[in-house]
Amino acid sequence: MPEVVMQFIGNHTGKPSLNGSAGIAAFEIGDRSITVRFAEGGTYLYDQVKPGKVHVAQMIALARAGAGLATYISQQVRNNYARKVE
């Protein structure tokens, strides 16, 4: 499996912050997908099939805003990911 190069974007650095993004270490927005690396470990791909277009669009919006992505995943998406990358 090829290694995914993650880009550190916005406030999703894995460091405690006021915006609630401490659970995300990095993310990469792809063509109709988002790959998320969690601060506690694990990198997961979310796409239009799993968890679906609506969730992926919301996750991308939250990632770009720099807040709320970890909370959204834990409350709305949970383990409904396309695949674990590493």
Side-chain angles (χ1 to χ4, degrees), residues 29-35 45-63 69 72 77 80 82:
I29 297 171
D31 185 33
R32 297 178 290 216
S33 67
I34 184 168
T35 304
L45 171 70
Y46 302 89
D47 64 20
Q48 295 209 349
V49 175
K50 283 187 86 179
K53 289 192 263 185
V54 173
H55 285 301
V56 169
Q58 183 63 30
M59 291 167 67
I60 289 171
L62 292 168
L69 180 57
Y72 185 84
V77 178
N80 190 18

